Amino acid sequence: MSAYLTALLLALIAMLGNGEYFLGSSMLSRPLVMCTLAGLIMGNVQQGIIMGATLELAFVGSFSIGASIPPEIISGSVLGTAFAIGAGKSTAVALTLGIPIASLVLVIKNLCFIFILPYFVHKADHYAEQGNSKGLDRMNLLGGFFSINLPIGLVVGVSYLLGSPVIKSFLAVIPQFIINGLGIATGLLPAYGFALLLKMMVNKNNITFFILGFALAVYMKIPVTGVAIFGACLALILTGYSAFKDKFHAEPAAVSGNSTTDSGQNGGIDYEDEEF
């Protein structure tokens, strides 16, 4: 496969990832999907899946929250995988290349938000004032395509064409001890990704479950899959008990609403709803 065709296909993969919301938040943009497709294009699906799983762990907490925009993981995943497989290097190299690329392309993405997207937003406001729903829909589609989808696709395609020979020559001179160090960093970054995710999720109401899962994995030597199954069962039990409890309290309340004698005898206190 020629370099130009490879660059075109990688660009289309990046554009597919950026079009995930067009298909309804399908998680196409996640590294596990992007790296697998990039590995398919590069002729090594197995390495693409492995690199995708590693980058997924590193970017597990990378979600847009409010005005905070995470690194552009689509381009980082596609280009990091393509460069690493093309140079015959390991997953550690893909991770090391993917993170800086994602951070750099984020700058380009923000520039597109500043200079390109506002034109379509103002046109959409104009159509909204006129009550033109078709024009409003058209601006939403064109704005997303020209301000996000197309620029990221061009960045990925051009970067692969310009960067592949440079990356190959650069990786060829990296000493082995640095590659080994990158492998160690590969093992640490997923933990850092989980820490970022837990920082948003953990509070005093669910910290007990985190400690329980840690104890099961470390002291009882239960595999991660087993801990996940145990956690899913525990969640189903707790949510089922909560629904049953709400239903149990709703029925006596409906009955007591039709009779005033019971509340009068008990002094207006519903002892079934009281906690002791």
Side-chain angles (χ1 to χ4, degrees):
M1 187 183 298
S2 66
Y4 291 99
L5 181 58
T6 302
L8 175 61
L9 292 176
L10 292 176
L12 291 176
I13 289 174
M15 294 175 68
L16 175 65
N18 276 288
E20 69 161 339
Y21 294 112
F22 180 74
L23 301 173
S25 188
S26 55
M27 294 296 170
L28 285 174
S29 63
R30 299 306 299 176
L32 189 59
V33 179
M34 292 288 98
C35 293
T36 301
L37 294 177
L40 177 64
I41 298 302
M42 298 303 296
N44 196 334
V45 181
Q46 182 179 0
Q47 278 296 105
I49 295 174
I50 295 173
M51 293 176 181
T54 303
L55 284 169
E56 186 68 52
L57 290 174
F59 286 112
V60 69
S62 295
F63 286 93
S64 179
I65 300 175
S68 175
I69 302 177
E72 218 292 313
I73 60 176
I74 297 174
S75 56
S77 300
V78 173
L79 288 175
T81 302
F83 286 147
I85 294 178
K89 297 298 180 178
S90 63
T91 305
V93 174
L95 184 61
T96 305
L97 293 175
I99 293 177
I101 290 173
S103 301
L104 180 61
V105 177
L106 176 61
V107 178
I108 301 175
K109 187 175 182 179
N110 286 331
L111 291 176
C112 293
F113 282 155
I114 294 173
F115 294 106
I116 300 178
L117 186 60
Y119 169 78
F120 296 96
V121 172
H122 294 319
K123 290 288 291 184
D125 290 338
H126 177 69
Y127 285 127
E129 292 176 355
Q130 295 178 343
N132 188 345
S133 60
K134 292 184 178 179
L136 186 63
D137 293 340
R138 187 166 62 251
M139 288 303 103
N140 284 329
L141 295 175
L142 294 177
F145 180 78
F146 285 105
S147 63
I148 302 175
N149 202 291
L150 182 61
I152 298 301
L154 291 175
V155 166
V156 169
V158 174
S159 297
Y160 179 78
L161 286 176
L162 299 178
S164 184
V166 177
I167 291 295
K168 287 182 180 179
S169 59
F170 173 73
L171 294 177
V173 298
I174 296 179
Q176 186 60 38
F177 74 90
I178 295 181
I179 299 296
N180 295 336
L182 295 177
I184 297 174
T186 302
L188 294 176
L189 281 174
Y192 178 71
F194 274 111
L196 292 176
L197 187 62
L198 287 174
K199 185 178 179 181
M200 297 184 292
M201 295 175 57
V202 172
N203 54 46
K204 63 180 181 179
N205 296 323
N206 57 26
I207 186 64
T208 306
F209 301 102
F210 170 73
I211 297 174
L212 177 61
F214 176 80
L216 291 174
V218 174
Y219 297 105
M220 300 186 68
K221 306 299 181 182
I222 298 177
V224 175
T225 304
V227 175
I229 294 174
F230 181 82
C233 294
L234 184 61
L236 291 173
I237 292 172
L238 292 177
T239 54
Y241 171 75
S242 177
F244 175 77
K245 183 179 179 182
D246 293 340
K247 181 180 179 181
F248 177 77
H249 285 302
E251 292 178 352
V255 174
S256 62
N258 297 327
S259 176
T260 58
T261 57
D262 292 341
S263 60
Q265 293 175 355
N266 296 331
I269 300 176
D270 189 353
Y271 290 103
E272 291 185 352
D273 287 337
E274 294 297 319
E275 296 182 359
F276 298 96

